[in-house]
Amino acid sequence: MPLTPGTTLGRYEISTPLGAGGMGEVYLAHDTALRRRPVAVKLLPADFSRDEGRLRRFEQEAYAVAKLNHPAVAHIYEIGESDGLHFIAMEYVEGETLGEMIHGERAPLAKLLKYLAQVAEGLAKAHAAGIVHRDLKPDNVMIARDGYAKILDFGLAKLVEPQKTSAADGDAGEAATALIRQLSSPGVVMGTVGYMSPEQAQGRVSEIDQRSDVFSFGCILYEAATGRRPFEGKDALDSLHKIVHAPVPQIKETNPGAPGELQRIVRRCLQKDPERRYQSIKDVAIELEELLQELRGETEPTRPEVSTTSGGMLSGGIESGGATTSGAQSASQTQTSAAPEAPRSASSAEYLAGQIRRHKTGAVVALAAVVLGVAAAAFGLYKLAERDRSASTARFQPGKVDRLTGTGNVRNVAISPDGKFVAYAADEGGRQSLWVRDVATTSSVQAVAPAEVEYTGLNFSPDSNYVYYSRAEKGATTGVLYQVPKLGGTPKKLLAGVDSSVTFSPDGKRLAFLRALGAKESALVVADADGTNERKLASASAPALFSVYDSAPGWSPDGKVIACGMTHAEANGLYSTVVGVNVADGTIRPLSSQRWDDIFGKLAWEADGGGLLMSAREKRGLFNAAQIWRLSYPGGEAQQITQGLSRYYNVSLTSDSRSLVAITQDMFASVWTAPVGRAGAATQLTSTPGARDGYCGVAWTNGGKILYVARKIARADIWVMNADGGSQQQLTDSEDVERYPSLTRDGRYMVFDMLHGGTSNIWRADADGGNLKQLTNGVFDHTPHCSPDGKWVAYLAASQLWKVPIDGGQPVQLTDQPSECPAFSPDGKLVACYYQSETSAPWRLALVPAEGGQPSKLFDVATTRNTSGSGAPRIWIVLRWTPDGRSILYVADSGGASNIWSQPVEGGKPVQLTDFKSDLIWTFDLSPDGKQLVMSRGRYVED
């Protein structure tokens, strides 16, 4: 019996029916607990729920898809049961199906191939997890309103990996997956006629694996190019016969304008023998991307006008012609367009995609692709695509890619102007050394021995014979410029007070760099190449300063302009731009209207001066990592070149712009517990490869359980588990990012910040994640902590501390100077935090009255700096009090490892509580009884 509007299934309230099919009914619903955007609820019919085999397949669908983390695969929210009804809550997508785009919109072939390349990436992720779709077709691919493809309805998914089965399982297992009695129809084949593989059509169940999806994908490719199905017949049986016996049709017979390369790809996908097909959909994805690169440089081919009739679906998904789940009312849409802003291909495909504006000249310049490894980020050489005067955008083609290091400890990098050498700084246990690698022979030499310093601002001399670098003592914010022969030798000191990488004039006779002049002024300084004749070319004063510590200037090839990053302060926070300083008179002008959250590393000019490359983060947020951008000159158009969750920085170009080098950074984390004072007894609770468990939040509950933040794709949610790591359960699940959970002492509420795009606010929820309430409305409110009486929440906003009533209301400002990491004392009278008396002062541990005002005490402790080099503590490293209120716990790094220390409130030396020899501590919490620590530990991987 169909559900009526207002019916509730668990926490989901039914709104309207969307469709029905062999594997279930679908309804539009609302999550009453989390108040998320509409969701789709897939309900298993009553007679199915009485069939254990079918119930097992229904649950298999959900568990299989729930394992997948990819923007092209729809997300499963929950598998549930309510009053005997079994259901899956999943994403709801508004848009149109690929089938509608092919036959209704008649979209250009290049556009269709772009979406199919995304589908191939999503399938590659599924196949890597051991999941086969088994019912791939245009109506199971949704093009969401944000322009990205989503694979729908894994209702026929079969786990490829062997599973333990009993004799009873065999009756409704393999055979039932391929041939089942569906509703009242006797014995129909699982799949959709027209897209089945030969092994599916013949019921050869044991042969169905990921290569079956490759065949179905080939059918869709053919249909996208021609508007017809490749094996159309008079009826279903005729189509099945053609799938098994008919030769692969020729695309050019229907669409002569289609690329010949597409026919080759389709022909290999549609081989009858699985052994002769592509053995991996990943290979198809790569070839499609290469084909798309060619099409972008040509007139996009179109498809002929073909009238088609759709064949009947035998089972799986929801039958065509029925009700639908999208605004376009497509039969198999059961997902949502609320996906995060994810790259088109964010899987382990490791693909760098983008377009680069053409030079005014017709020079051949190839831009490189950075290929990320599965476990570590790669860094490599790139080539800029061939330029053409007649068009405004260049085709982007990956060049030869070399991963130069695999140690994960690279901190800075530069490529020599001639492209033959790469210099980089390596960190071993907190001691850094400088290395120079011969690109051709792959041999490396140590140019500068290890020391407990930081080597920043690497660059080569214009003749490629010397490496310039800035050496800063640990914790210092300024450095001394040195020069050393590229193959090692005695370093020569040139200049003090160098706060960025140097850049050389085209003739190599002068260099320029940035320097901080106190808290409210910075300067662009020019000197001779030997460090003499230093002079200030331009200065900038607050609220707009040169981005001294984060970015580095770049001298244009014509010698007339030096490009610099500029940081601007406004009421809503900070943003960065690129400006040009006139070398002749020091005047400053903007080079683009584009705003970024931050700009990192060098600004590297292209050889003909037609643009520059740089690393920048467009929006603040955990998943808005710095990417490589191109800024055209003098037009100022900004184009993002790289995509993904990894951070790219330290872009360095050769003098001919044919190759570049960059660093990629990834971060990994897992949750650990340890008795206080016994770090040797630490226990690792989570161990998912590549995960970031707890990286921005862990907390003990009064009941002895652990809250922790776990990342899935481009978002993070709050989970809870037992103290031994068991019974892991998700508490929050939205399209946004929930971080830094903190519980009230009575366990009634938890508070956290929720990140949406570049904005973050403080939210309150019941301890089980329900009944959300927004407490603040600032631009970037984060890192909350509950007062012991449960009435207030302290948090950080605009680099200062605030508190807000836990029931909502007017926020109260606590500090008027830069502050981080608030933590209420056990008696609620004080708030511990990191504090700066002024912008240029060192960070210290402070005690601030809970009512606000100046610190009552300040402690000089070893603060852990963030990775941007700004000197601030990592904001996700919290402070915690001991239950008796006598000490404050904090994290400090030494020797490449983090440990927890205790600072007595009455003064005295800090006491080290843990003695870890490796890995960093991202965040931690102390149990209510003060006996157990929970920590998120991990590392950065930079190559």
Side-chain angles (χ1 to χ4, degrees):
M1 179 177 178
L3 299 181
T4 58
T7 303
T8 58
L9 293 175
R11 67 191 194 196
Y12 303 101
E13 180 178 331
I14 300 299
S15 297
T16 183
L18 295 173
M23 288 299 287
E25 300 171 358
V26 182
Y27 295 87
L28 184 68
H30 293 273
D31 187 334
T32 59
L34 295 183
R35 301 188 218 171
R36 72 168 95 244
R37 287 178 281 265
V39 300
V41 172
K42 187 170 186 178
L43 179 67
L44 191 66
D47 58 341
F48 270 48
S49 62
R50 291 190 290 267
D51 184 324
E52 292 185 3
R54 290 179 178 178
L55 181 58
R56 184 164 54 251
R57 287 191 297 278
F58 178 79
E59 293 176 343
Q60 173 182 291
E61 169 188 358
Y63 286 118
V65 184
K67 291 172 57 178
L68 300 182
N69 291 328
H70 195 277
V73 177
H75 181 59
I76 294 292
Y77 295 137
E78 181 182 351
I79 309 164
E81 185 270 336
S82 178
D83 296 327
L85 299 178
H86 297 266
F87 66 88
I88 302 176
M90 61 188 78
E91 289 184 88
Y92 168 74
V93 174
E94 288 188 285
E96 60 182 324
T97 66
L98 184 65
E100 291 170 333
M101 187 167 285
I102 293 173
H103 300 292
E105 181 182 323
R106 300 190 183 279
L109 179 57
K111 183 177 182 180
L112 297 173
L113 292 180
K114 179 187 74 170
Y115 294 129
L116 283 168
Q118 297 172 18
V119 172
E121 292 287 359
L123 282 173
K125 182 71 173 182
H127 291 171
I131 301 167
V132 180
H133 192 287
R134 293 166 62 102
D135 192 24
L136 199 63
K137 58 189 175 184
D139 280 345
N140 270 344
V141 175
M142 186 73 179
I143 309 303
R145 296 286 170 81
D146 59 4
Y148 291 95
K150 284 262 190 185
I151 307 172
L152 312 179
D153 201 356
F154 274 76
L156 305 179
K158 179 181 78 69
L159 299 183
V160 174
E161 296 174 355
Q163 300 178 42
K164 295 180 180 179
T165 58
S166 64
D169 291 330
D171 295 336
E174 294 282 359
T177 305
L179 193 65
I180 69 171
R181 185 176 305 276
Q182 189 165 32
L183 296 179
S184 60
S185 302
V188 289
V189 181
M190 293 287 279
T192 301
V193 170
Y195 306 97
M196 288 183 182
S197 65
E199 52 271 28
Q200 278 180 295
Q202 293 179 305
R204 305 199 314 264
V205 177
S206 61
E207 299 178 27
I208 298 175
D209 57 20
Q210 66 270 13
R211 295 171 296 182
S212 182
D213 281 351
V214 171
F215 187 94
S216 301
F217 188 81
C219 292
I220 301 175
L221 278 177
Y222 181 91
E223 188 170 347
T226 65
R228 298 179 181 275
R229 295 183 181 181
F231 302 106
E232 285 182 326
K234 299 187 298 293
D235 51 34
L237 289 178
D238 189 30
S239 293
L240 290 174
H241 182 270
K242 288 184 176 181
I243 287 171
V244 176
H245 300 290
V248 179
Q250 296 295 310
I251 291 177
K252 287 188 177 295
E253 292 178 359
T254 305
N255 185 5
E261 181 69 7
L262 182 59
Q263 174 66 57
R264 185 190 65 79
I265 296 172
V266 169
R267 183 172 59 247
R268 189 172 174 190
C269 286
L270 296 182
Q271 291 294 315
K272 310 296 184 185
D273 183 355
E275 295 296 329
R276 299 180 64 84
R277 288 178 214 149
Y278 289 101
Q279 299 300 290
S280 168
I281 192 69
K282 183 63 199 174
D283 295 334
V284 185
I286 293 172
E287 296 208 16
L288 279 181
E289 290 290 359
E290 292 175 353
L291 176 58
L292 278 168
Q293 299 299 340
E294 296 177 7
L295 295 181
R296 287 178 185 133
E298 304 168 359
T299 302
E300 292 187 351
T302 58
R303 295 182 297 107
E305 296 292 324
V306 180
S307 61
T308 62
T309 57
S310 59
M313 180 195 298
L314 293 185
S315 82
I318 300 172
E319 282 90 358
S320 57
T324 64
T325 64
S326 77
Q329 297 299 295
S330 166
S332 55
Q333 300 163 27
T334 54
Q335 331 302 349
T336 179
S337 64
E341 293 181 2
R344 183 184 65 224
S345 52
S347 73
S348 59
E350 291 92 36
Y351 174 72
L352 169 66
Q355 290 184 343
I356 299 203
R357 184 178 177 81
R358 299 180 191 273
H359 285 267
K360 295 178 182 178
T361 68
V364 175
V365 186
L367 176 61
V370 172
V371 179
L372 302 181
V374 173
F379 102 50
L381 302 173
Y382 305 78
K383 295 187 176 180
L384 299 175
E386 183 176 1
R387 314 288 176 135
D388 187 326
R389 295 187 186 93
S390 63
S392 62
T393 1
R395 289 186 295 119
F396 179 80
Q397 292 183 333
K400 182 176 182 289
V401 177
D402 291 317
R403 174 176 171 174
L404 301 185
T405 71
T407 56
N409 64 349
V410 174
R411 299 294 180 263
N412 210 283
V413 71
I415 192 168
S416 61
D418 60 14
K420 296 180 179 180
F421 298 92
V422 170
Y424 61 94
D427 190 306
E428 288 287 351
R431 294 169 59 85
Q432 291 192 9
S433 55
L434 287 184
W435 295 77
V436 176
R437 180 186 179 96
D438 187 311
V439 174
T441 66
T442 71
S443 60
S444 298
V445 298
Q446 188 179 90
V448 181
E452 291 188 1
V453 297
E454 292 185 57
Y455 293 120
T456 61
L458 267 63
N459 214 341
F460 277 86
S461 59
D463 60 9
S464 300
N465 288 329
Y466 292 90
V467 177
Y468 285 71
Y469 63 94
S470 180
R471 171 184 167 131
E473 299 302 319
K474 285 296 180 71
T477 57
T478 189
V480 177
L481 183 67
Y482 285 83
Q483 175 201 71
V484 66
K486 66 185 177 188
L487 297 182
T490 303
K492 179 181 179 182
K493 180 178 177 180
L494 300 181
L495 274 171
V498 177
D499 296 326
S500 74
S501 173
V502 299
T503 181
F504 288 92
S505 60
D507 61 10
K509 296 181 179 180
R510 291 178 293 171
L511 55 80
F513 59 91
L514 298 176
R515 173 180 290 163
L517 303 175
K520 298 183 178 180
E521 186 179 3
S522 56
L524 174 64
V525 180
V526 175
D528 290 348
D530 61 1
T532 61
N533 297 324
E534 173 189 322
R535 68 181 181 89
K536 182 169 65 176
L537 177 61
S539 62
S541 301
L545 299 171
F546 289 119
S547 303
V548 172
Y549 300 116
D550 288 345
S551 69
W555 209 314
S556 65
D558 63 8
K560 297 180 180 180
V561 177
I562 298 176
C564 299
M566 182 75 78
T567 300
H568 306 259
E570 58 181 10
N572 292 333
L574 305 177
Y575 69 91
S576 296
T577 63
V578 177
V579 299
V581 179
N582 190 308
V583 176
D585 58 15
T587 56
I588 302 173
R589 65 181 179 88
L591 296 187
S592 173
S593 60
Q594 173 77 27
R595 291 185 176 193
W596 290 272
D597 177 67
D598 215 339
I599 297 171
F600 303 95
K602 309 174 185 71
L603 302 177
W605 285 86
E606 294 169 353
D608 67 354
L612 50 88
L613 298 180
M614 62 184 186
S615 169
R617 180 176 60 195
E618 186 174 21
K619 295 179 181 178
R620 182 178 296 272
L622 290 176
F623 304 106
N624 295 318
Q627 302 292 335
I628 298 176
W629 289 72
R630 181 181 186 270
L631 192 65
S632 68
Y633 182 83
E637 294 92 353
Q639 293 179 317
Q640 185 175 329
I641 302 303
T642 60
Q643 302 279 358
L645 298 178
S646 296
R647 177 190 183 213
Y648 296 75
Y649 66 103
N650 271 138
V651 177
S652 178
L653 272 171
T654 55
S655 59
D656 60 6
S657 298
R658 292 183 61 87
S659 301
L660 70 80
V661 69
I663 295 175
T664 55
Q665 179 192 80
D666 279 306
M667 184 256 280
F668 305 102
S670 56
V671 180
W672 294 67
T673 57
V676 173
R678 294 175 55 205
T683 301
Q684 185 174 354
L685 303 185
T686 66
S687 57
T688 304
R692 297 184 179 183
D693 292 339
Y695 68 118
C696 57
V698 292
W700 284 100
T701 71
N702 286 338
K705 294 188 176 184
I706 296 170
L707 297 182
Y708 66 104
V709 174
R711 163 188 142 182
K712 291 192 174 187
I713 297 295
R715 62 168 174 258
D717 297 302
I718 299 172
W719 292 63
V720 66
M721 62 181 167
N722 294 338
D724 61 1
S727 300
Q728 297 178 5
Q729 179 184 356
Q730 189 169 354
L731 297 181
T732 65
D733 187 358
S734 74
E735 300 302 325
D736 299 319
V737 175
E738 294 89 37
R739 315 175 304 172
Y740 310 121
S742 175
L743 284 161
T744 55
R745 183 174 288 179
D746 61 9
R748 180 182 179 186
Y749 295 127
M750 68 174 174
V751 297
F752 49 88
D753 69 50
M754 186 181 294
L755 182 68
H756 177 76
T759 301
S760 178
N761 294 118
I762 308 302
W763 289 70
R764 187 197 77 192
D766 292 346
D768 62 359
N771 296 321
L772 278 115
K773 180 180 177 63
Q774 186 170 344
L775 302 183
T776 69
N777 294 281
V779 175
F780 198 61
D781 309 328
H782 58 98
T783 48
H785 189 255
C786 295
S787 64
D789 60 8
K791 295 181 179 180
W792 292 92
V793 179
Y795 65 98
L796 178 64
S799 298
Q800 295 166 350
L801 299 191
W802 296 71
K803 68 176 183 179
V804 65
I806 200 162
D807 292 324
Q810 186 65 34
V812 177
Q813 187 170 355
L814 301 182
T815 64
D816 58 3
Q817 294 296 325
S819 311
E820 304 272 7
C821 311
F824 276 105
S825 61
D827 61 9
K829 296 179 180 180
L830 296 170
V831 176
C833 64
Y834 285 115
Y835 185 87
Q836 275 186 309
S837 57
E838 59 181 26
T839 306
S840 59
W843 286 88
R844 292 189 285 179
L845 182 61
L847 301 183
V848 176
E851 301 305 316
Q854 297 301 309
S856 59
K857 290 186 178 181
L858 290 167
F859 304 96
D860 292 315
V861 298
T863 60
T864 295
R865 296 176 59 189
N866 65 17
T867 57
S868 68
S870 65
R874 292 201 297 263
I875 61 173
W876 51 86
I877 295 187
V878 299
L879 298 172
R880 289 293 180 259
W881 293 74
T882 54
D884 58 12
R886 294 182 177 180
S887 298
I888 303 167
L889 308 188
Y890 65 94
V891 172
D893 294 350
S894 179
S898 293
N899 280 287
I900 297 175
W901 292 70
S902 175
Q903 170 62 54
V905 171
E906 296 303 320
K909 292 184 179 181
V911 177
Q912 187 172 345
L913 298 185
T914 64
D915 189 25
F916 295 116
K917 304 301 183 184
S918 63
D919 288 344
L920 302 176
I921 296 175
W922 305 120
T923 188
F924 73 97
D925 194 23
L926 184 65
S927 62
D929 61 8
K931 297 180 179 180
Q932 290 281 330
L933 290 166
V934 60
M935 302 156 284
S936 176
R937 300 178 62 226
R939 66 192 184 282
Y940 284 114
V941 175
E942 298 173 297
D943 281 299

